[in-house]
Amino acid sequence: MAEKQGLPEGPGALVLGIETSCDETAASVVRDGREILSNVIASQVDLHRLFGGVVPEIASRKHIELIMPVIDLALKKADTKPEALSAIAVTYGPGLVGALLVGLSAAKAMALALDCPLVGINHIEGHIYANVLQYPEVEPPLICLTVSGGHTDLLYIDEYGHYEILGRTRDDAAGEAFDKIARVMGLDYPGGPEIARMAVDGDPKAIDFPRGLMQADTYDFSFSGLKTAAINHIHTLEQRGEELPVADIAASLQAAIVDVLTNKTIAAAKAYGAKTVFLSGGVAANEGLRTQLDLLATAQGMRVYYPSPVLCTDNAAMIACAGYYRYRRGERSPWDLNAVPNLRLGET
Ligand code: KG4
Ligand code: ZN
């Protein structure tokens, strides 16, 4: 059995979290898995925006430049000496291999030099723990929808640290669909927040975009049909020389994605008798998704939890929190821990 969450064994277990799986160089110090002492995020997004998406080689180089200053700043802001750390938690997958290796090398070097326990964390588990960090009193069983640029996973969690994957995307992740369609619409990277912004002024019923696998007897997702339909729609209007109704496209697209995500999540919660639903990952910052999931869940007597926006997108506080609970369970990673770009939840 997992330990009860949120009951620290003693005061002041300080965990340094390090996250470099994609295009944010992040470090954070969290006390007892619940109190964020610092949360430093150096975003490379302005750099990658010039190319319309993340360029792995550039990401790795930028991480190398930023990793030690970001860690130093996180320790400084937390007013913490490296010797005071109880553990160092680091993302070792999934993600871009060159990017992961930078955080992992820094974490290993520090842990070795300080004789401090090293705890490798799955990035997706980190996203789930963004909720545990904010709501340590909430206990499983629960259903968790993790939606990011790289992942769309629907999970049943009967105890923390134990994940049953009910469904995942068969093609594009939800965030990826947002980003790719936004790019065709001429919007900046990352497209999710841009589409969310434009959608506010649009009609979600203006265009009837497909809701992939919504009626199918599966908890899997598929967004490639939606992506093709949206891109075709945009190209047709452009070929006719018509002005793009950007707000309506954004609102209709967001509605299609939100409908599928919320529908399947509530269906899973009903089927598993879960009264608690976690929403996590970068796309969980989407206001439309939060609102619709809240509405549907409340109607079923369920309660939805989602992290504040800064903890939805990539950050190291969530990694420190996940690391704290693994550290408390006595888990330690070996010194030869390697980056695993395709790491899946539940795998080590
Ligand atoms: O979790 P995250 O920061 O990185 C990955 O692990 O992938 O998620 C980034 C994704 C991007 O696809 C971005 O477009 C999306 O989250 N995103 C949003 C919003 N904010 C970020 N999508 C929709 N609405 C938002 N407000
Ligand atoms: Zn992420």
Side-chain angles (χ1 to χ4, degrees), residues 19 21 123-124 127 148-149 151 281-282 312-315 318:
E19 156 63 41
S21 66
H123 180 78
I124 306 302
H127 276 302
S148 70
H151 302 272
C312 285
T313 43
D314 288 351
N315 67 88
M318 66 187 195

Side-chain angles (χ1 to χ4, degrees), residues 19 21-24 123-124 127 147-151 174-179 189-197 254 280-287 312-315 318:
E19 156 63 41
S21 66
C22 191
D23 58 349
E24 328 276 6
H123 180 78
I124 306 302
H127 276 302
V147 263
S148 70
H151 302 272
E176 192 180 359
F178 271 120
D179 294 343
Y189 172 83
E194 289 291 303
I195 292 204
R197 205 164 47 80
Q254 181 173 291
S280 64
V283 181
N286 187 279
E287 217 33 74
C312 285
T313 43
D314 288 351
N315 67 88
M318 66 187 195

Side-chain angles (χ1 to χ4, degrees), residues 25-265:
T25 317
S28 163
V29 179
V30 173
R31 195 200 317 263
D32 291 334
R34 55 170 71 194
E35 190 189 347
I36 301 175
L37 302 186
S38 63
N39 189 18
V40 179
I41 304 169
S43 178
Q44 308 174 4
V45 82
D46 290 342
L47 198 60
H48 297 286
R49 188 173 286 137
L50 302 172
F51 303 91
V54 177
V55 184
E57 181 60 28
I58 295 178
S60 312
R61 287 189 205 184
K62 217 54 203 164
H63 283 309
I64 292 172
E65 260 175 54
L66 292 169
I67 189 69
M68 289 324 292
V70 163
I71 291 174
D72 284 345
L73 187 58
L75 289 168
K76 192 164 167 227
K77 284 192 166 192
D79 198 16
T80 300
K81 297 240 177 313
E83 297 73 27
L85 295 171
S86 305
I88 297 178
V90 62
T91 306
Y92 73 105
L96 302 168
V97 66
L100 289 164
L101 281 170
V102 178
L104 195 52
S105 307
K108 282 203 249 183
M110 276 186 77
L112 203 55
L114 294 165
D115 194 19
C116 180
L118 176 76
V119 186
I121 297 295
N122 180 312
H123 180 78
I124 306 302
E125 181 174 60
H127 276 302
I128 298 167
Y129 271 79
N131 275 308
V132 179
L133 175 60
Q134 253 182 300
Y135 311 102
E137 70 287 357
V138 176
E139 290 287 335
L142 55 91
I143 290 290
C144 180
L145 174 69
T146 304
V147 263
S148 70
H151 302 272
T152 304
D153 293 339
L154 191 56
L155 314 163
Y156 176 64
I157 302 177
D158 60 349
E159 58 183 68
Y160 284 118
H162 184 251
Y163 310 104
E164 185 182 339
I165 296 164
L166 307 180
R168 49 169 45 124
T169 184
R170 295 184 182 173
D171 36 59
D172 291 333
E176 192 180 359
F178 271 120
D179 294 343
K180 286 181 174 168
I181 299 167
R183 189 173 173 170
V184 178
M185 289 166 74
L187 302 175
D188 272 345
Y189 172 83
E194 289 291 303
I195 292 204
R197 205 164 47 80
M198 316 247 60
V200 174
D201 301 318
D203 173 7
K205 294 202 170 75
I207 308 145
D208 188 18
F209 285 133
R211 272 95 171 132
L213 297 178
M214 187 145 107
Q215 307 305 336
D217 189 18
T218 173
Y219 291 121
D220 279 354
F221 301 91
S222 169
F223 295 104
S224 65
L226 168 65
K227 185 180 68 183
T228 307
I231 292 174
N232 285 346
H233 185 85
I234 294 162
H235 284 165
T236 306
L237 291 177
E238 281 172 348
Q239 276 159 11
R240 287 197 207 132
E242 291 179 30
E243 200 181 320
L244 283 187
V246 182
D248 282 350
I249 296 176
S252 303
L253 173 66
Q254 181 173 291
I257 293 178
V258 167
D259 275 355
V260 183
L261 293 176
T262 53
N263 206 285
K264 294 209 182 250
T265 305

Side-chain angles (χ1 to χ4, degrees), residues 322-346:
Y324 167 75
Y325 287 104
R326 287 199 172 268
Y327 163 70
R328 277 193 53 198
R329 288 199 285 266
E331 293 183 29
R332 308 288 183 261
S333 296
W335 296 121
D336 63 354
L337 178 69
N338 207 350
V340 184
N342 298 316
L343 183 67
R344 293 196 158 206
L345 260 188

